[in-house]
Amino acid sequence: MSTTGTTATTVDIDRSDAACRAWLKEAVRKVQADANRSADTHLLRFPLPEEWGIDLYLKDESTHPTGSLKHRLARSLFLYALCNGWIRPGRPVIEASSGSTAVSEAYFAKLIGVPFIAVMPRTTSPEKCRLIEFHGGTCHFVDDPMKMYEESAALAAQTGGHYMDQFTYAERATDWRGNNNIAESIYQQLRLERYPEPTWIVATAGTGGTSATIARYVRYMQHDTRVCVPDPENSCFFDGWTHHDPDASSDCGSRIEGIGRPRMEPSFVPGAIDRMMKVPDAASVAACRALERAIGRKAGGSTGTGLWSALKIIAEMVADGRRGSVVTLLCDPGERYLDKYYSDGWVAAQGMDLAPYAKTIETLLDSGAWHEPAA
């Protein structure tokens, strides 16, 4: 409407809410205090022959309060959503998650006093469901993993809550330039080692947020480190990256919980990644079991996927006579998967033959040679 020749008044709408702002300040304080209480996670050494001159480290993210790498992500997502004004007092937070992110988000939701609903595949491990409920969350199951997104959005609309949407916001909720992110932590912990700048960092992808954070930090700090992302079977990330196809998809869900997706997620940043590998699920499980034999620790399947790829890279370094260090992630504890990756019955029911992959790892550690099982 034109105001020419008339006297106009200022239109002023003030939506500030003193009570809500007070709640927000306390919620942010509680989430930041959680980070302040948590000591940094350890770098564990995987034993390799001394004469190789190569060091392999696993960043042990299982020591977070909720037991997985996703604790970092959940904390970042909550701070991001709180400061954006998306999380409100008394209204639920809803997340599409196959388990570990939901466990960590349930923890933070309880910490700040809001309800939490995890929308997850019905095949999610019972132990993860138990942990979500232990932290006060509710499990909402879907039969088709591809329906998690729309079901989460629908629940948010119905309840007036907030759909966290880790697959969109993971890469932007974390400060990739530093601020004690996982990449900065790795470099700080390596500074007194004989190879303080790793040749490779290997990071599997669920949302893609961790690999994006590490790869961006490496470039920002002008390191020569390369970043490799291994992908499990039934995931589209490898194909999408290989063929530069943002519409790549898979019609099956990943058997390696926490990583692999049926669609190219917004937080997966292909251009930041130097190398990808498509890893057979049997190799991931065999590597999990090899890790337990080597260091006495059980880890989840995604750790096995990363370890298999790290060992393949190390075999290449041995063959080329190169020295240096390689870092991969211990994403979560294997005790969550005793009925899966550590169950011979489950492995047999999945039609997996672990023996050829176990032999590949054994041969590498004995002789430095890498003999990939025949397809």
Side-chain angles (χ1 to χ4, degrees), residues 16 72-73 87 129 154 175 180 189 209 231 250 266 286 289 310 326 365:
S16 59
R72 291 181 190 269
L73 171 60
I87 298 177
C129 298
D175 185 353
N180 196 34
Q189 290 176 310
D231 205 32
S250 169
R289 297 184 177 198
V326 177
L365 299 178

Side-chain angles (χ1 to χ4, degrees), residues 57-244:
Y57 303 92
L58 291 103
K59 180 71 166 159
D60 184 9
E61 295 293 285
S62 71
T63 57
H64 284 294
T66 53
S68 84
L69 169 67
K70 301 300 186 179
H71 193 86
R72 291 181 190 269
L73 171 60
R75 185 166 57 219
S76 294
L77 288 168
F78 265 79
L79 286 172
Y80 189 71
L82 283 165
C83 293
N84 283 340
W86 295 343
I87 298 177
R88 311 290 289 184
R91 299 183 186 179
V93 169
I94 294 116
E95 183 62 284
S97 171
S98 62
S100 286
T101 301
V103 173
S104 298
E105 289 189 14
Y107 168 91
F108 283 106
K110 184 177 182 180
L111 188 69
I112 67 172
V114 297
F116 178 75
I117 303 170
V119 180
M120 55 208 306
R122 201 171 297 279
T123 56
T124 301
S125 73
E127 177 61 13
K128 283 185 179 177
C129 298
R130 185 192 70 79
L131 287 169
I132 291 166
E133 292 171 349
F134 172 79
H135 290 300
T138 300
C139 298
H140 181 95
F141 297 105
V142 295
D143 294 314
D144 180 358
M146 285 297 288
K147 299 293 186 184
M148 289 197 305
Y149 314 95
E150 60 185 76
E151 186 70 10
S152 297
L155 278 174
Q158 291 166 16
T159 61
H162 170 60
Y163 170 28
M164 191 70 88
D165 196 1
Q166 59 169 320
F167 298 107
T168 294
Y169 295 107
E171 57 86 13
R172 66 193 74 172
T174 299
D175 185 353
W176 49 267
R177 291 162 293 191
N179 194 22
N180 196 34
N181 66 33
I182 189 170
E184 184 178 53
S185 174
I186 288 169
Y187 280 92
Q188 284 293 322
Q189 290 176 310
L190 286 174
R191 70 187 186 280
L192 298 180
E193 301 297 316
R194 58 177 175 171
Y195 308 115
E197 184 172 300
T199 304
W200 286 91
I201 297 178
V202 179
T204 51
T207 62
T210 298
S211 61
T213 296
I214 292 171
R216 288 164 167 170
Y217 181 84
V218 164
R219 286 161 170 74
Y220 181 69
M221 298 301 294
Q222 303 164 54
H223 293 305
D224 291 325
T225 304
R226 300 294 185 262
V227 176
C228 174
V229 174
D231 205 32
E233 295 176 26
N234 303 332
S235 174
C236 71
F237 285 160
F238 180 83
D239 290 339
W241 180 83
T242 302
H243 301 294
H244 304 282

